[in-house]
């Protein structure tokens, strides 16, 4: 039987000193993942980079997987916050404006530590905190679904649940690929063209 991964922290950091230790460990984990990759990352290496004893590391995290899960959770929250704040600002704007802003938001969200985003998305198996990441995704769908409901009279799509899924998935996939695989697309005038094209795609889908 495969060993069950221990991905929950041993204890939470309640005091300033302990929070500083946890922050140092998570920042070190992110740096090690970016520089050396998931397979080569180890608790010993993370403790060394953080300047923390291995004993102190194990006071808070039982395994490498728990550290990686915590990093993934923190990164997902940062990205979700960027998305949430921006979508709230365009809640009352017309569809063309909101679609353009949504594409720009997605680019900005993927630019929140893009190297770490790439490692978390493409190198690391889904260890722990998956329910939190999925909750952030569901929140994104709900925000877009709420916008579509409020602007139903501007749209030609009947199934708003499906429309929210299509819009979020398409924009996420395109911006993810652009930021991580084709950063040249987002340089200079190409960035404006990219936003224009993806915005046009979304608006035409919603107004068939």
């Amino acid at each position: 039987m495969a060993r069950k991964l221990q991905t929950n922290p041993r204890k939470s950091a309640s005091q300033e000193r302990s929070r500083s230790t946890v922050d140092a460990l998570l920042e070190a984990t992110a740096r090690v993942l970016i520089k050396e990759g998931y397979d080569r990352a180890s608790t010993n290496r993370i403790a060394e980079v953080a300047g923390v004893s291995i004993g102190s590391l194990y006071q808070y995290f039982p395994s490498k997987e728990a550290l990686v899960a915590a990093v993934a959770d923190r990164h997902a929250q940062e990205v979700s916050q960027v998305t949430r704040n921006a979508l709230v600002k365009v809640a009352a704007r017309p569809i063309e404006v909101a679609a353009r802003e949504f594409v720009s938001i997605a680019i900005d969200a993927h630019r929140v530590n893009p190297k770490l985003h790439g490692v978390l998305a493409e190198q690391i198996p889904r260890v722990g905190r998956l329910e939190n990441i999925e909750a952030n995704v569901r929140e994104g769908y709900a925000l877009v679904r709420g916008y579509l409901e409020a602007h139903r009279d501007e749209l030609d799509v009947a199934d708003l649940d499906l429309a929210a899924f299509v819009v979020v998935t398409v924009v996420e996939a395109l911006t993810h690929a652009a930021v991580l695989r084709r950063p040249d697309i987002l340089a200079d005038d190409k960035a404006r063209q990219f936003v224009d094209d993806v915005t046009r795609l979304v608006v035409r889908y919603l107004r068939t």
Side-chain angles (χ1 to χ4, degrees):
M1 180 180 295
R3 176 177 66 92
K4 183 177 180 180
L5 297 176
Q6 294 179 300
T7 60
N8 291 319
R10 291 189 187 278
K11 64 178 181 179
S12 60
S14 57
Q15 298 181 351
E16 183 176 352
R17 183 176 179 181
S18 59
R19 287 196 296 270
S20 296
T21 300
V22 169
D23 286 343
L25 286 167
L26 296 184
E27 289 169 8
T29 301
R31 290 199 298 272
V32 171
L33 288 172
I34 291 168
K35 185 175 181 179
E36 303 179 21
Y38 178 80
D39 291 335
R40 295 183 63 184
S42 68
T43 52
N44 284 327
R45 178 60 178 148
I46 291 168
E48 177 187 359
V49 171
V52 173
S53 71
I54 191 67
S56 294
L57 182 154
Y58 282 125
Q59 284 183 2
Y60 297 99
F61 298 97
S63 63
K64 174 179 79 171
E65 290 82 9
L67 280 159
V68 173
V71 169
D73 190 16
R74 177 178 286 191
H75 181 69
Q77 289 176 11
E78 291 172 348
V79 171
S80 179
Q81 190 63 47
V82 170
T83 305
R84 186 185 306 114
N85 290 344
L87 284 175
V88 167
K89 291 179 182 178
V90 298
R93 305 300 298 277
I95 187 66
E96 293 88 354
V97 175
R100 179 176 297 278
E101 185 65 18
F102 184 45
V103 175
S104 299
I105 291 165
I107 293 172
D108 289 343
H110 282 89
R111 281 174 166 164
V112 176
N113 203 338
K115 291 182 179 178
L116 178 62
H117 188 91
V119 172
L120 293 174
E122 298 177 3
Q123 289 191 33
I124 297 174
R126 292 183 173 232
V127 294
R129 297 298 189 281
L130 182 57
E131 67 276 10
N132 290 354
I133 295 172
E134 289 180 338
N136 288 330
V137 172
R138 288 195 298 271
E139 182 186 29
Y141 286 133
L143 287 169
V144 173
R145 173 65 169 77
Y147 173 86
L148 296 179
E149 179 65 43
H151 295 262
R152 183 185 284 272
D153 59 342
E154 299 179 48
L155 309 177
D156 293 324
V157 292
D159 189 334
L160 297 188
D161 289 329
L162 177 60
F165 173 78
V166 170
V167 168
V168 172
T169 303
V170 167
V171 173
E172 159 69 19
L174 288 171
T175 54
H176 177 92
V179 171
L180 298 181
R181 299 195 183 95
R182 289 291 307 275
D184 59 294
I185 290 176
L186 301 179
D188 303 323
D189 291 339
K190 287 186 177 180
R192 184 180 302 174
Q193 185 64 52
F194 176 80
V195 173
D196 286 345
D197 288 350
V198 180
T199 299
R200 191 178 304 113
L201 185 155
V202 170
V203 172
R204 286 184 176 178
Y205 164 68
L206 293 173
R207 289 180 166 173
T208 52

